[in-house]
Each structure stands twice: as C-alpha cells, then as structure tokens.
Amino acid sequence: MTKIGESRLSFWKNSGRIFMELCRFVVFSLSFVLAFHLGVCREDNIIRMPRSMNLVGGVRDCGGIRNNAEIEGIARFAVQEHNKNQNALLEFAKVMKAKEQVVAGKIYYLTLEAIDAGKKKMYEAKVWVKPWMNFKELQEFKHAPETQSFTTSDLGVKQDGHGSEWQAVPTNDPEVQDAANHVVKSIQMRSNSIFPYELLEILLAKAKVIEGSAKFDLLLKLKWGSKDVKFKAEVNKNIEGKFYSTQWKEDHH
C-alpha cells in the first residue's frame, strides 16, 4: 500500500473514532438532562414526562403523592431532621401537598401532617435534594398558616352554633381529605373503566352541619388515565363517622 493510501486509511480510522466518541458524549448528555428534569414525581411508580418542559427555577405540582414512596420519604426525612435539630418528637402522618422547583437538583415544598403530643398539626417543609449525590438538606420547617374554619369536632357533626349555612373550609383539613378520598373510592367502585381514578387536588371545599350530620360540597381534580378531570361532589358524614348519600358529576368548566 502506498504512503498516500496509508495516510487516507489512518485519517478515516481516526475520524471514525472521533465520531463514535462524539455520539457517546451526546447520548450521555441527553440522558443526564432527561433524568435531571424528571426528578421523583411519578404516578403509579412509573416515571412520566412533564406536560410542558419546565425552565430552571419554575415551581410545579407533584401529582400522585398518595402513592409516591420518594415524596413520602422526603417528608419523613424533613420530620426526622426537624426532630433532631429542635429536640422535638413529631410523628409523621402523611403528605398533603407537594411542589418541586428545578435548581442544582430539586427543591421540594411540602405541606405535611404530623402528630404532636397526640394532636394532628399541619407543617410546611422545604427540602433540597440532589439524587445523583445522595444528598438531602432540610432548609425550612414551620407550622402551616392557620385559617378560620370548622374544627374537627364541628366537621364531626357536633352542632354548636354554626347553623345550616355553607362555610368555606380548608382543603387540607383532615376531615375534608377523608371526604374527598371517599368520593374518589365511590367513583372508582361504580366505574367500568380499567383506568383508576386518583385524587390530585381538592380545588374547593365547603361544609355545614345539619340534621345530625356533616355535609361536604367539594370540587375535585382527579387523574383518570392520561387525563385530568374535575368532579363536583356532595357527601354526608353521620355522627358515627360513616359517609353516605355520596353524589357527584363531572365538571366541564
């Protein structure tokens, strides 16, 4: 083989190696970016792509928190770190709301319920997570703002002066959450769909105490397959704590 031929062969071999290295770099970069944006917000333990690509610094809701082990793990970490830092004895109960913000990793804004000396209380926590470094840091932990509403005993159908008028109640009230979950279970039981219904958010909640029972008027946002749907629902709760006369209809507004 001539020197010119050898030079050409060497050139193409080197070019091929450079091209393969470039391809590996591109694939690695795309994989890293994809993993970075997905975070740990999943539904039914399956990673889902966000409906719209979020810019760095944007805050978005985390759907499917009821069955999300990672979100619950972050919330438990927040309670444990608070207990360690403040010499407290809070007991984690459940996650009520979760949002995430893309930074160098993710910052999670959690509203959670914890038990303090036998009483359920609401807290807000801010946790910074870098999954690839196995890094978690509690940045903030505080009581959730209190709002004037029915107490648990009021919603537990003890009539003491509220009358029979509808009153707005916090959507994160444990009694309201129980009523919403009951509605979702009822919808699922009467549905012939193979896709489960999952509670994403309680958009509005009203309640009143009348004739020995508590009545809830709810607007719910549910996940059904790949769709988000809204339902208006009414449900009663008797003095024994049992739900009955549940009615609902899809809201198309």
Side-chain angles (χ1 to χ4, degrees):
M1 184 178 292
T2 64
K3 290 184 178 181
I4 293 177
E6 290 176 350
S7 298
R8 288 179 177 175
L9 181 59
S10 177
F11 170 81
W12 286 112
K13 285 182 178 180
N14 291 332
S15 298
R17 283 195 293 269
I18 293 171
F19 178 77
M20 291 300 296
E21 291 299 324
L22 181 59
C23 288
R24 290 193 187 99
F25 175 80
V26 170
V27 170
F28 174 82
S29 299
L30 290 174
S31 300
F32 178 82
V33 170
L34 179 61
F36 181 85
H37 280 282
L38 283 172
V40 299
C41 287
R42 296 171 168 87
E43 293 177 1
D44 299 327
N45 296 322
I46 300 174
I47 295 175
R48 60 180 174 86
M49 289 293 291
R51 294 192 184 100
S52 59
M53 187 60 69
N54 294 293
L55 297 176
V56 173
V59 178
R60 70 182 184 99
D61 290 327
C62 290
I65 61 174
R66 296 288 178 185
N67 300 312
N68 194 316
E70 278 115 332
I71 293 293
E72 182 176 316
I74 293 170
R76 288 183 180 276
F77 167 81
V79 173
Q80 292 168 0
E81 286 294 291
H82 171 75
N83 286 344
K84 184 171 64 176
N85 296 337
Q86 302 298 323
N87 196 26
L89 294 171
L90 296 183
E91 181 183 347
F92 171 79
K94 58 184 175 181
V95 179
M96 309 301 292
K97 292 183 181 179
K99 295 184 177 182
E100 67 175 8
Q101 180 181 23
V102 177
V103 291
K106 295 287 183 73
I107 290 180
Y108 290 90
Y109 301 88
L110 308 175
T111 300
L112 59 91
E113 183 180 271
I115 300 172
D116 182 15
K119 296 182 179 180
K120 291 182 178 180
K121 297 182 179 180
M122 302 298 298
Y123 297 90
E124 293 179 348
K126 180 180 176 182
V127 182
W128 183 17
V129 178
K130 298 179 185 178
W132 67 92
M133 295 176 62
N134 196 27
F135 169 88
K136 287 196 292 282
E137 178 182 271
L138 177 64
Q139 295 194 322
E140 188 176 273
F141 194 96
K142 63 183 181 181
H143 281 281
E146 295 183 1
T147 56
Q148 192 68 28
S149 69
F150 284 91
T151 63
T152 300
S153 60
D154 293 328
L155 294 179
V157 306
K158 293 181 180 178
Q159 212 166 0
D160 55 1
H162 286 298
S164 60
E165 298 298 321
W166 288 109
Q167 295 193 34
V169 291
T171 57
N172 60 4
D173 188 291
E175 298 286 344
V176 175
Q177 292 279 336
D178 287 344
N181 288 326
H182 172 78
V183 171
V184 176
K185 289 179 182 178
S186 299
I187 294 173
Q188 186 64 56
M189 287 177 62
R190 298 185 193 179
S191 171
N192 294 321
S193 172
I194 62 172
F195 298 108
Y197 286 89
E198 180 183 355
L199 179 63
L200 293 180
E201 185 179 359
I202 302 173
L203 299 173
L204 293 171
K206 294 185 292 184
K208 63 181 178 180
V209 179
I210 185 171
E211 297 179 357
S213 66
K215 192 169 186 177
F216 299 89
D217 184 14
L218 308 172
L219 178 60
L220 308 177
K221 181 180 179 181
L222 309 182
K223 171 69 69 177
W224 180 52
S226 61
K227 295 172 57 179
D228 289 356
V229 293
K230 294 180 183 178
F231 280 88
K232 289 182 177 180
E234 286 191 3
V235 58
N236 291 0
K237 182 180 181 182
N238 64 20
I239 199 166
E240 285 81 27
K242 295 181 179 180
F243 292 104
Y244 66 98
S245 298
T246 306
Q247 302 177 29
W248 64 84
K249 65 178 179 179
E250 191 170 351
D251 180 56
H252 297 286
H253 294 95

